[in-house]
Amino acid sequence: AVADIQREIDVLKQIHHPFIVNLVHTYESEESLDMLLGLIPGGELWDQIHIEDEETGDWISGLSEHRSQFLTYVLADTFAFLHSREFLFRDLKPENIMIDGDGYPCLVDFGFAKHVPKGGRTFTFCGTPNYVAPEIIRNSGQSVGVDHWALGVVVHEMIAGENPFFWDEMGQVELYQAITDEDPSPI
């Protein structure tokens, strides 16, 4: 929606960080609102975590511990920067982490990002089901913890090769119950 694109533009105009996508320019016409973003040539993190064997069709999932640590350090530092500027990302998932030409992760898709003053909370239900924090599901108010939760889920997925709460054919209600009521699967 146009409001989401405008929110993303507003956020990206306020934050500049080497591991956050660069807003180069915006173009607006009566029919559209478009963004020109900086090039991030390495593709999505999801495509590095989950690789299909072309010969067998089997999936090989997970990254090395060393690679997972490196990506986690950079992402945690990037979130520390965002949170110091009082922004919540609210949609972390491997598809919203692009890998730059040097192998560093860059956050993209700030459509759900929101300015929330320190100590404040927001109550909008948003995010990708497999990565949402319990407080989003319970509508108990979101703060920086929602980004920390999602980072933990992504870290688990990088190391274990699977989401700690979701499995194939799982319904959304069942997924939300697993997130709010169950202990995550061990790595």
Side-chain angles (χ1 to χ4, degrees):
V2 173
D4 293 334
I5 295 170
Q6 187 60 56
R7 183 181 326 106
E8 183 168 3
I9 290 169
D10 293 344
V11 170
L12 290 174
K13 283 182 176 179
Q14 296 178 59
I15 54 174
H16 302 284
H17 188 274
F19 305 122
I20 293 175
V21 66
N22 181 32
L23 176 65
V24 175
H25 195 68
T26 60
Y27 303 92
E28 188 171 359
S29 68
E30 290 182 23
E31 297 83 31
S32 69
L33 177 58
D34 302 301
M35 298 181 291
L36 176 62
L37 302 172
L39 176 65
I40 307 172
E44 295 177 358
L45 176 60
W46 194 94
D47 292 324
Q48 291 189 5
I49 296 172
H50 307 283
I51 300 170
E52 185 176 11
D53 185 311
E54 293 180 20
E55 291 181 21
T56 66
D58 294 331
W59 286 89
I60 302 162
S61 295
L63 300 175
S64 71
E65 184 177 336
H66 177 74
R67 180 76 174 138
S68 298
Q69 284 177 335
F70 170 75
L71 294 170
T72 301
Y73 291 146
V74 175
L75 290 167
D77 185 66
T78 304
F79 276 114
F81 169 82
L82 268 177
H83 296 159
S84 75
R85 303 300 191 276
E86 300 182 332
F87 283 99
L88 303 182
F89 187 69
R90 303 190 308 166
D91 196 21
L92 185 65
K93 57 186 175 182
E95 294 90 332
N96 286 346
I97 303 167
M98 301 292 289
I99 304 301
D100 75 9
D102 295 320
Y104 285 84
C106 292
L107 294 178
V108 300
D109 192 353
F110 280 73
F112 289 137
K114 186 172 184 178
H115 183 264
V116 178
K118 286 194 189 314
R121 294 190 180 277
T122 186
F123 292 86
T124 309
F125 193 96
C126 62
T128 300
N130 295 13
Y131 303 91
V132 296
E135 55 267 37
I136 293 175
I137 297 166
R138 292 183 183 124
N139 199 27
S140 58
Q142 305 157 35
S143 63
V144 297
V146 299
D147 289 335
H148 298 153
W149 173 275
L151 179 58
V153 174
V154 170
V155 169
H156 185 282
E157 192 167 344
M158 285 190 292
I159 294 169
E162 60 185 23
N163 185 286
F165 301 102
F166 179 80
W167 60 87
D168 289 339
E169 309 303 321
M170 181 183 225
Q172 192 165 324
V173 170
E174 204 176 8
L175 171 63
Y176 287 164
Q177 287 174 334
I179 290 170
T180 57
D181 299 339
E182 296 178 14
D183 292 331
S185 64
I187 293 180

